[in-house]
Amino acid sequence: MPVNFLDIILAFFEGFALIISPCILPILPIVLAGSLSGSRKRPFGIITGFVISFSLVAFFSRQLVQYSGIDLDLIRHISYGILLLLGIIMMSSFLSEKFTNLLQRMVGVTGLINNNPQGGFVSGIFIGSLIAIIWTPCAGPILAAVIVQTVLQKTTIVSFFILVSFALGAAIPMLIISLYGIKIIETFRFFKTKATFFRKILGLIIIAAVAYMIYQETTQSTSTAQTTIKTATMLQNGLWLPYKAPPIEGIEAWINSPPLKLSDLQGKVVLIDFWTYSCINCIRTIPYLKAWYNKYQNQGLVIIGIHSPEFDFEKNLANVQNAVKRYGIHYPVALDNQFATWRNYNNHYWPAHYLINKNGKVVYQYFGEGDYDVTENNIRYLLNLDSFDMPTLLKEERYVFGQTPETYLGYARADKSLSPDIVRDASNHYHFPQDLLRNAWALDGFWQVTADKITSTQANAALKIHYNARKVFIVMGNATPAPIKVKVFLNNKPIFSQQGKDVTDSTITVTRHSIYEVISLEQFAQGILEIRAETPGLQVYTFTFGS
């Protein structure tokens, strides 16, 4: 997702504006005393403590909002209103004074000066942290504005850059104060007399920035409804040093195509997609890949799915063929069971996309889900398309802070701190504990735990997990020729209204090795999921989650 440089620049000026706030004078003696009484390292410690404290406040404010699972579109619209209100407050001397006084009363600032003449960098960090806390009510709407801006962002990376920009803006004048001490007091007489003017200018900038963001959002919404959109004139996030695409080697079988060689595809744009059919992240990229293939195959795009298995059952050609048919994939798929092509690309991720230009060089790569607009733009650019039909607009899954991570059950990859005490490679009788920690899992009945999976060895073997997500998926298989019925319980009750698409009447019928959607909630939530196999032979590999 492209970074909004307006937000980053605005955050810098918001940070810098802290220094011209009217309540600078009560804080200034603390800064001066702290920097002048210690060693030369103390000013840098003060700045470090100041930046860290402000950054933590803003960052965790964003994470708290994400953890709640509130719809980000709603947050964005509310935040636009808050930003406008803050701009209006800063434009008004009366409202700004009332707002600042309110926050000051909430904190109750008192004089805090560290007079230790031997203090160095560490004591400076302590002083800087205190200054940041004391200065929070002084910052008033400015700090609130930057917190709102971080909440607006859809990625942690963008939020990080905004916070860094804000911290730099605040730290630069603070460092000058710390280094030059008392000489700065005379300089700040000018800012004191002009504080009201500067505050109003900043308020005007915030209002103008919000108006621009609303205009930009409206323009983007309108443009996606048009029939043609201009292609970008350059690669987005392209590699600085493109390299010759490694060969596709060691393929055991091809689906939907005879064997392909990159050397035979010169003049074509090739998208290499490393995937595996039970990976939920890979599955969520398939609709985009299918849409791009249907849209651009006649214009020179070749998509090759390199199927590199995570589990042994994914090496089976029939299993992969069934999955390809089930997902409606028509582009070529190559079985890279020995990871030869995977190693050629030095790949480490499912999914991973490598975009190769007509000259056979990798010019763009992306790992994981997301940035579909960037990938499609780069496809169009490499195909030399001046315009294109409706862009691929699909609903994206989003990660919510606090979501349970992928949970492996085989002892080779299981998180021991969240797993039960197990007996390796032998059937054992297990019992559910009374309490289950968040993200932990437990067994009941007879199970055999091996390196990559667990297998029920007697009837009514059960498995629980304490999850935090909106959707729950389980990678399961069947070691017997007969279907295995698996009962599903949510918070100790049979699941009905909140069951996933692979559950019918609180039951999953496991006939093949695949990924099964078990729970689909309307909202992000915690819960205790239990599955119970009516007959032995159920194989369970991993839990994955979605929001």
Side-chain angles (χ1 to χ4, degrees), residues 283-396:
I283 293 170
R284 287 197 286 249
T285 66
I286 290 175
Y288 294 91
L289 292 164
K290 290 166 56 179
W292 297 335
Y293 182 70
N294 293 335
K295 190 183 301 184
Y296 302 119
Q297 63 170 317
N298 293 330
Q299 301 179 64
L301 175 66
V302 177
I303 297 180
I304 302 176
I306 305 296
H307 188 273
S308 304
E310 183 175 12
F311 302 108
D312 282 344
F313 66 82
E314 293 174 311
K315 297 179 180 179
N316 184 282
L317 175 59
N319 287 346
V320 181
Q321 287 174 325
N322 289 334
V324 167
K325 182 178 180 180
R326 189 164 61 250
Y327 298 143
I329 296 172
H330 299 294
Y331 51 81
V333 173
L335 271 66
D336 185 28
N337 286 348
Q338 303 306 317
F339 289 81
T341 301
W342 175 286
R343 288 191 295 271
N344 284 351
Y345 280 79
N346 193 30
N347 187 53
H348 300 280
Y349 308 99
W350 292 285
H353 294 154
Y354 296 83
L355 193 56
I356 303 170
N357 67 12
K358 294 180 180 181
N359 297 321
K361 289 190 174 183
V362 177
V363 296
Y364 170 77
Q365 57 193 33
Y366 188 80
F367 309 119
E369 300 177 65
D371 268 13
Y372 301 110
D373 55 340
V374 175
T375 302
E376 184 170 7
N377 171 82
N378 292 343
I379 291 171
R380 299 193 313 270
Y381 173 76
L382 295 177
L383 291 173
N384 299 317
L385 299 179
D386 292 330
S387 61
F388 68 105
D389 294 332
M390 279 287 291
T392 302
L393 299 175
L394 299 171
K395 182 179 180 180
E396 293 186 34

Side-chain angles (χ1 to χ4, degrees), residues 14-22 24 28 135 169-170 173-174 177 188 191:
E14 286 169 342
F16 190 86
L18 291 175
I19 204 64
I20 62 173
S21 180
I24 179 64
L28 190 56
W135 216 351
M174 185 71 71
I177 293 173
F188 274 86
F191 289 111

Side-chain angles (χ1 to χ4, degrees), residues 329-537:
I329 296 172
H330 299 294
Y331 51 81
V333 173
L335 271 66
D336 185 28
N337 286 348
Q338 303 306 317
F339 289 81
T341 301
W342 175 286
R343 288 191 295 271
N344 284 351
Y345 280 79
N346 193 30
N347 187 53
H348 300 280
Y349 308 99
W350 292 285
H353 294 154
Y354 296 83
L355 193 56
I356 303 170
N357 67 12
K358 294 180 180 181
N359 297 321
K361 289 190 174 183
V362 177
V363 296
Y364 170 77
Q365 57 193 33
Y366 188 80
F367 309 119
E369 300 177 65
D371 268 13
Y372 301 110
D373 55 340
V374 175
T375 302
E376 184 170 7
N377 171 82
N378 292 343
I379 291 171
R380 299 193 313 270
Y381 173 76
L382 295 177
L383 291 173
N384 299 317
L385 299 179
D386 292 330
S387 61
F388 68 105
D389 294 332
M390 279 287 291
T392 302
L393 299 175
L394 299 171
K395 182 179 180 180
E396 293 186 34
E397 293 284 341
R398 62 183 178 88
Y399 174 81
V400 174
F401 181 78
Q403 178 177 295
T404 301
E406 184 169 9
T407 303
Y408 292 92
L409 306 184
Y411 60 74
R413 301 174 70 180
D415 185 340
K416 294 182 180 179
S417 66
L418 299 172
S419 306
D421 294 330
I422 57 104
V423 175
R424 294 189 176 192
D425 301 315
S427 180
N428 188 56
H429 191 194
Y430 297 91
H431 301 279
F432 283 146
Q434 288 186 345
D435 298 309
L436 198 58
L437 297 175
R438 183 187 295 183
N439 300 337
W441 59 279
L443 299 172
D444 190 72
F446 286 87
W447 291 88
Q448 180 178 354
V449 182
T450 53
D452 65 339
K453 62 182 176 294
I454 62 174
T455 304
S456 63
T457 55
Q458 289 192 18
N460 294 317
L463 164 66
K464 276 185 179 181
I465 187 168
H466 186 173
Y467 72 90
N468 198 35
R470 190 176 72 86
K471 290 187 175 183
V472 181
F473 305 85
I474 310 178
V475 176
M476 295 187 289
N478 186 341
T480 72
I484 296 178
K485 292 188 178 298
V486 180
K487 292 293 184 182
V488 182
F489 303 87
L490 178 59
N491 299 326
N492 298 318
K493 296 180 181 179
I495 187 170
F496 289 103
S497 61
Q498 298 171 319
Q499 62 190 18
K501 65 181 181 180
D502 295 311
V503 182
T504 303
D505 295 330
S506 301
T507 302
I508 305 172
T509 302
V510 179
T511 58
R512 63 176 184 268
H513 286 79
S514 188
I515 185 169
Y516 295 82
E517 182 182 294
V518 181
I519 291 178
S520 181
L521 307 176
E522 293 183 358
Q523 299 290 336
F524 187 90
Q526 290 188 53
I528 303 291
L529 168 65
E530 177 184 341
I531 62 171
R532 186 173 294 272
E534 293 186 351
T535 54

Side-chain angles (χ1 to χ4, degrees), residues 13-299:
F13 285 108
E14 286 169 342
F16 190 86
L18 291 175
I19 204 64
I20 62 173
S21 180
C23 63
I24 179 64
L25 293 181
I27 305 300
L28 190 56
I30 302 175
V31 179
L32 296 177
S35 59
L36 295 178
S37 61
S39 70
R40 293 182 178 181
K41 295 181 180 179
R42 177 176 278 184
F44 297 96
I46 291 175
I47 300 310
T48 301
F50 179 82
V51 170
I52 290 174
S53 294
F54 262 117
S55 298
L56 288 177
V57 168
F59 179 78
F60 283 109
S61 295
R62 178 180 189 267
Q63 301 304 318
L64 181 62
V65 171
Q66 284 191 318
Y67 182 79
S68 68
I70 300 174
D71 182 72
L72 289 182
D73 287 335
L74 176 62
I75 288 292
R76 184 174 69 255
H77 295 148
I78 293 175
S79 298
Y80 284 155
I82 294 175
L83 279 171
L84 286 172
L85 178 60
L86 294 175
I88 293 171
I89 289 175
M90 297 182 70
M91 290 285 290
S92 168
S93 297
F94 175 78
L95 293 178
S96 182
E97 181 181 357
K98 293 295 183 182
F99 189 75
T100 300
N101 290 340
L102 173 63
L103 293 179
Q104 285 177 328
R105 286 196 298 271
M106 292 172 61
V107 175
V109 177
T110 58
L112 293 170
I113 300 178
N114 187 334
N115 291 316
N116 179 10
Q118 304 301 322
F121 184 81
V122 175
S123 63
I125 291 178
F126 177 74
I127 295 173
S129 298
L130 290 178
I131 291 172
I133 295 172
I134 294 171
W135 216 351
T136 298
C138 179
I142 301 174
L143 177 59
V146 80
I147 291 176
V148 169
Q149 280 178 269
T150 62
V151 170
L152 282 172
Q153 305 308 315
K154 293 184 178 180
T155 67
T156 302
I157 293 177
V158 176
S159 296
F160 172 76
F161 281 116
I162 287 178
L163 292 177
V164 168
S165 180
F166 176 76
L168 286 174
I172 288 174
M174 185 71 71
L175 182 60
I176 294 174
I177 293 173
S178 299
L179 291 176
Y180 292 96
I182 200 69
K183 295 181 181 179
I184 300 300
I185 294 178
E186 295 298 324
T187 302
F188 274 86
R189 289 179 179 174
F190 168 77
F191 289 111
K192 180 183 177 182
T193 59
K194 301 294 183 180
T196 301
F197 172 76
F198 282 113
R199 188 191 64 242
K200 291 182 177 181
I201 290 296
L202 185 63
L204 182 61
I205 291 174
I206 291 176
I207 293 173
V210 173
Y212 175 78
M213 287 187 287
I214 294 174
Y215 169 77
Q216 190 178 47
E217 180 178 323
T218 304
T219 302
Q220 290 175 346
S221 299
T222 303
S223 65
T224 57
Q226 297 173 352
T227 56
T228 60
I229 298 178
K230 193 69 175 178
T231 302
T233 57
M234 61 182 295
L235 280 176
Q236 295 183 21
N237 302 334
L239 297 180
W240 287 7
L241 296 174
Y243 58 92
K244 183 179 179 181
I248 298 174
E249 296 178 328
I251 302 304
E252 296 188 7
W254 286 83
I255 303 173
N256 294 336
S257 171
L260 298 176
K261 294 182 179 179
L262 291 181
S263 58
D264 296 332
L265 298 176
Q266 291 286 322
K268 299 282 189 179
V269 174
V270 181
L271 178 60
I272 300 292
D273 168 46
F274 285 95
W275 74 297
T276 186
Y277 83 79
S278 72
C279 164
I280 187 60
N281 307 96
C282 301
I283 293 170
R284 287 197 286 249
T285 66
I286 290 175
Y288 294 91
L289 292 164
K290 290 166 56 179
W292 297 335
Y293 182 70
N294 293 335
K295 190 183 301 184
Y296 302 119
Q297 63 170 317
N298 293 330
Q299 301 179 64

